């Protein structure tokens, strides 16, 4: 039951500063003293490491930029697909509503017909339905 240590994300390193050049280094050429070569070799190594680090950072930034643009393009593409499907669903729903409206308009025109009761009284079909709905509302747990 010990608390788990979760390390923090390491911060990116900044590019090292360019070295202060010592102009008196002869390098590996003739005439250099025995200690000068080691100084030259160390400064050359530091400079190459600095240049390699800068190139790696540039490469990493380029890859990150490509990745972000791909994410953005994928998001836009998914949004377009979603909008297209949403429009298709809405058109289908509207079509169904229009169909129901046409059918109810047609049946309402047919409902105006008179129906005769057993008593021989003529009633409007709509009134018969309304009366049945009122009667059913008094029955608890009706049909």
């Amino acid at each position: 039951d010990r608390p788990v240590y979760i390390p923090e994300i390491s911060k990116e390193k900044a590019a090292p500063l360019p070295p202060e050049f010592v102009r008196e280094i002869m390098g590996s050429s003739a005439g250099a003293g025995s200690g000068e070569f080691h100084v030259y070799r160390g400064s050359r190594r530091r400079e190459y490491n600095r240049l390699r680090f800068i190139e790696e950072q540039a490469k990493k930034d380029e890859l990150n930029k490509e990745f972000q643009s791909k994410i953005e393009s994928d998001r836009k593409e998914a949004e377009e697909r979603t909008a297209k499907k949403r429009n298709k669903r809405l058109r289908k729903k509207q079509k169904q509503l229009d169909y129901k409206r046409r059918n109810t308009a047609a049946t309402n025109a047919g409902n105006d017909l008179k129906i005769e009761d057993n008593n021989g009284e003529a009633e409007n079909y709509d009134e018969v339905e309304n009366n049945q709905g009122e009667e059913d509302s008094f029955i608890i747990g009706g049909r």
Side-chain angles (χ1 to χ4, degrees), residues 99-112:
Y99 179 76
K100 285 182 180 179
R101 286 182 188 146
R102 275 188 266 130
N103 281 348
T104 55
T107 54
N108 284 343
N111 285 347
D112 291 340

Side-chain angles (χ1 to χ4, degrees), residues 22-36:
V22 179
R23 301 287 177 202
E24 309 251 338
I25 292 179
M26 293 187 145
S28 61
S29 62
S34 62
E36 299 296 322

